[in-house]
Amino acid sequence: MAQVYLSLGSNVNRAQHIHAALDALAGQFGELQVSRVFESEAVGFQGDNFYNLVVGLRTNLPVGQLALCLRGIEDANGRLRAGPRFSARTLDIDILTYDNLTGTVDGVKLPRGEIVKNAFVLQPLAEIAPQTVHPIEEKTFRQLWSEYDQASQKLWPVAFTWP
């Protein structure tokens, strides 16, 4: 079974779509590690604030099948793909890491570049996997978060209960 970390985000009916995603992931994969939910401003476009979190799970699905499963969860939550890349979305689920795989696997670039670029990915990842080592940076997620310019992106935890 592979250890996988996913980022989840929504800025349209945020609580509803994050709840639905967590329910679907738990139904598909069983026990989840779930970070706190953080609110952040939209990055790359003007829009409503996002809810973001990171989820850890174990799976025997290969990367490509996992990506298709996640796409199905996004689609079931009304994800529209016709608009610009940076735009409002009901649900976005990205594979951050899949064990220690690096490079492009089944069309998915691993590890995902947003890990070291966006506070809304790195902080919750460092929260649930502090001792896990980034397969390229060769530093733990806790180390990467401590070195990150934390003033560069506004991010704050929100009250959110699941399940």
Side-chain angles (χ1 to χ4, degrees), residues 1-8 25 29 31-34 54-67 70 93-101 108 110-112 115 125 128-129 132 141:
M1 299 273 279
Q3 177 64 55
V4 175
Y5 291 100
L6 309 172
S7 65
L8 281 68
L25 290 169
F29 301 104
E31 185 177 342
L32 305 176
Q33 285 178 277
V34 181
V54 169
V55 172
L57 56 86
R58 298 190 65 76
T59 183
N60 57 9
L61 290 178
V63 174
Q65 287 182 13
L66 175 61
L70 301 176
I93 307 174
D94 295 316
I95 302 171
L96 299 174
T97 63
Y98 186 103
D99 278 343
N100 289 320
L101 291 180
V108 178
L110 296 168
R112 192 159 180 93
I115 293 172
L125 183 57
I128 66 169
T132 301
F141 293 126

Side-chain angles (χ1 to χ4, degrees), residues 96-139:
L96 299 174
T97 63
Y98 186 103
D99 278 343
N100 289 320
L101 291 180
T102 61
T104 301
V105 179
D106 298 337
V108 178
K109 180 137 175 54
L110 296 168
R112 192 159 180 93
E114 282 83 0
I115 293 172
V116 295
K117 293 179 184 170
N118 291 316
F120 60 81
V121 175
L122 185 54
Q123 184 175 7
L125 183 57
E127 180 178 286
I128 66 169
Q131 299 305 318
T132 301
V133 175
H134 188 288
I136 293 175
E137 300 292 327
E138 298 182 349
K139 295 180 180 180

Side-chain angles (χ1 to χ4, degrees), residues 10-12 14 39-42 45-51 88:
S10 174
N11 76 334
V12 175
R14 303 173 301 184
E39 186 170 355
S40 64
E41 296 175 338
F45 70 99
Q46 293 294 319
D48 293 333
N49 289 351
F50 275 80
Y51 276 3

